[in-house]
Amino acid sequence: MKIWHISRLATPLMAGLLGSVLLACGGNTPADSGSTLLAETTTQAAAAVPTKAQAEATEAALTNNDFFHKVKASIRTLPNAAVDAVQPGLASNPINVKRVERLMPAAKWDFYFAVRDASYTYQRFLQAVAKFPGLCDDYTDGRNADTICRRSLATMFAHFGQETGDHNASLPVPQWRQGLKYLRELGCDETGPGCGYNAECADPVFNKVWTCGTNADGSFKKYFGRGAKQLSYNYNYGPFSQMMNNGDQSVLLKNPDLVASTWLNLASATFFFVYPQPPKPSMLHVIDGTWVPNAADKAAGAGNDFATTIMIINAECGAGTEKPAAQNRIDYYKQFAADLGLNISGEKLSCANMQRFTAASSASYNIYWEKNWNAGGENQCQLVSYQTPYSALIGGNYVKCVEANWNVKLK
């Protein structure tokens, strides 16, 4: 049985890595005010190297707006030491974990994932939830936190079923409950031939950005699909590692199998769920209503519904009729929603006629730091919408961007 893993996190644009072909993309996006502010406040001599404190002040100014506050709140993380302490039933568990435990106790986890790999434990799922406190969190503006959490769980589990399910009609267990069967991409291992997913490592540009780990014999580590999201390629392991390890991309690039052998096998999926991928919003913001589609999004058929999460995760849409994989996700979502007590009547489920997100989307956010190629931009970085190693959602990355792109050391 061959499982195809063609769904990925945001892929970096080569033009963004090689030079000035692409500048700050996205048009009038929520973060554009930051780029304007940078241009307006650059009064120092063009060749002047800022101090570290000045660069940090610039970073703070460019990310001090309502947009960044909302996104940062939704993707904030709990320290790994606190995550490690999470266990089912503990009074000390975070608020969002307690909500998940109440809505989906351990027995229901066992029921939902009856043929799962043993590494996908209930405790590890709770730890994956704990890592991202914005998932199944409280809301202070009148939104129903329990309903949003139920929708989040049903959505994630439906996608688990398609991404890692056994899809075996001969089993007595129905297919919607066959998710999390696969921990590592079928037919792939650390030492066997093939399954490298590391061709980019030989490219000096890509390898400088997301530096691949090497084995004792000098060969590159393998970045085949691992975990509930089947995370693949160095340019996805690197950003995930940054979020899990205080901005350090090297941890998982040097040890990619941690995505399979630890609680990261489920955290990779919660990371994907809460993290925006311009020009696509995060699935959490689609579900909880934080993301507001604009006219271009609506014309493409996107909205605050399950159908849009299919476009986000794998773009199995737009063919005029439902593709089999998309139909599986829809069928599974209906089953999980019903069992979780979630009313989805009236919700758009089909993405058969939905078009891909474009730079015209309201989710075409400028959330990455890139070298400022503009006149007068020496020793500075700017906000762009394409992926670079320097996420503006992680504090301290502005300094790293300036140092790396301008070959200076800020003091």
Side-chain angles (χ1 to χ4, degrees):
M1 175 181 179
K2 174 64 176 176
I3 298 180
W4 294 98
H5 304 293
I6 58 174
S7 57
R8 306 287 177 235
L9 304 190
T11 303
L13 298 181
M14 177 64 81
L17 300 173
L18 294 179
S20 59
V21 178
L22 290 179
L23 299 178
C25 302
N28 296 320
T29 70
D32 276 345
S33 57
S35 295
T36 302
L37 177 62
L38 180 59
E40 293 175 348
T41 58
T42 302
T43 58
Q44 61 188 34
V49 177
T51 65
K52 184 177 181 182
Q54 288 172 330
E56 290 171 342
T58 299
E59 177 180 33
L62 296 180
T63 58
N64 184 23
N65 55 56
D66 184 62
F67 162 73
F68 269 103
H69 295 162
K70 285 182 178 179
V71 176
K72 285 186 174 182
S74 68
I75 59 98
R76 70 190 189 276
T77 57
L78 193 69
N80 286 349
V83 171
D84 290 339
V86 168
Q87 295 183 33
L90 290 184
S92 59
N93 283 344
I95 292 172
N96 66 327
V97 173
K98 290 180 180 179
R99 173 169 282 112
V100 170
E101 289 184 277
R102 175 166 53 82
L103 299 179
M104 189 199 66
K108 195 173 283 289
W109 174 264
D110 293 338
F111 174 72
Y112 285 165
F113 303 106
V115 298
R116 70 182 186 278
D117 186 280
S119 189
Y120 293 120
T121 67
Y122 182 63
Q123 178 175 346
R124 286 183 171 179
F125 181 68
L126 296 183
Q127 290 174 316
V129 171
K131 183 64 183 179
F132 295 96
L135 174 60
C136 288
D137 196 10
D138 287 339
Y139 289 84
T140 59
D141 56 6
R143 284 179 287 180
N144 189 309
D146 278 7
T147 297
I148 292 170
C149 186
R150 287 188 174 97
R151 286 189 72 196
S152 297
L153 294 174
T155 298
M156 283 193 290
F157 295 168
H159 295 315
F160 286 0
Q162 176 57 28
E163 296 291 305
T164 61
D166 201 19
H167 302 290
N168 189 342
S170 66
L171 292 180
V173 176
Q175 290 191 42
W176 71 278
R177 292 171 47 215
Q178 294 179 20
L180 301 181
K181 168 75 172 181
Y182 297 100
L183 184 62
R184 297 174 181 86
E185 187 168 349
L186 192 62
C188 298
D189 59 44
E190 299 296 319
T191 59
C195 293
Y197 286 77
N198 55 12
E200 291 80 6
C201 300
D203 185 305
V205 175
F206 270 98
N207 200 43
K208 181 180 179 180
V209 174
W210 306 112
T211 305
C212 299
T214 55
N215 299 304
D217 62 1
S219 61
F220 291 116
K221 294 287 186 178
K222 295 184 175 186
Y223 301 102
F224 54 78
R226 294 177 176 90
K229 179 59 185 68
Q230 291 290 277
L231 194 73
S232 308
Y233 295 102
N234 63 325
Y235 50 77
N236 291 324
Y237 277 78
F240 179 48
S241 183
Q242 288 180 323
M243 288 299 297
M244 296 297 102
N245 300 286
N246 298 316
D248 187 352
Q249 63 167 281
S250 70
V251 175
L252 297 181
L253 287 172
K254 291 179 179 178
N255 301 283
D257 205 59
L258 291 175
V259 179
S261 60
T262 71
W263 61 274
L264 298 181
N265 56 25
L266 288 159
S268 57
T270 53
F271 161 72
F272 183 84
F273 187 80
V274 304
Y275 211 84
Q277 310 158 51
K280 300 183 290 186
S282 73
M283 286 195 279
L284 175 59
H285 280 180
V286 166
I287 286 172
D288 74 4
T290 298
W291 173 63
V292 179
N294 62 15
D297 295 313
K298 293 176 182 178
N304 299 103
D305 46 48
F306 179 76
T308 300
T309 72
I310 301 176
M311 176 61 78
I312 290 172
I313 197 169
N314 215 13
E316 299 153 344
C317 309
T321 57
E322 222 69 69
K323 294 182 179 180
Q327 189 61 58
N328 285 344
R329 298 179 197 274
I330 294 167
D331 293 342
Y332 302 160
Y333 178 65
K334 290 178 180 178
Q335 295 282 1
F336 282 116
D339 197 81
L340 286 165
L342 177 67
N343 181 1
I344 60 172
S345 60
E347 181 176 356
K348 181 181 177 180
L349 304 180
S350 170
C351 72
N353 296 307
M354 189 179 297
Q355 303 304 305
R356 291 176 180 268
F357 285 92
T358 70
S361 170
S362 64
S364 187
Y365 309 137
N366 291 342
I367 60 171
Y368 298 100
W369 298 118
E370 172 65 292
K371 185 175 184 177
N372 190 337
W373 306 96
N374 300 311
E378 289 83 354
N379 298 310
Q380 300 169 46
C381 285
Q382 62 181 336
L383 287 163
V384 299
S385 62
Y386 52 84
Q387 186 187 20
T388 77
Y390 309 107
S391 170
L393 301 177
I394 300 176
N397 270 345
Y398 181 84
V399 170
K400 294 179 181 178
C401 176
V402 171
E403 292 182 333
N405 283 286
W406 294 101
N407 195 28
V408 295
K409 182 65 178 178
L410 305 189
K411 301 177 180 179

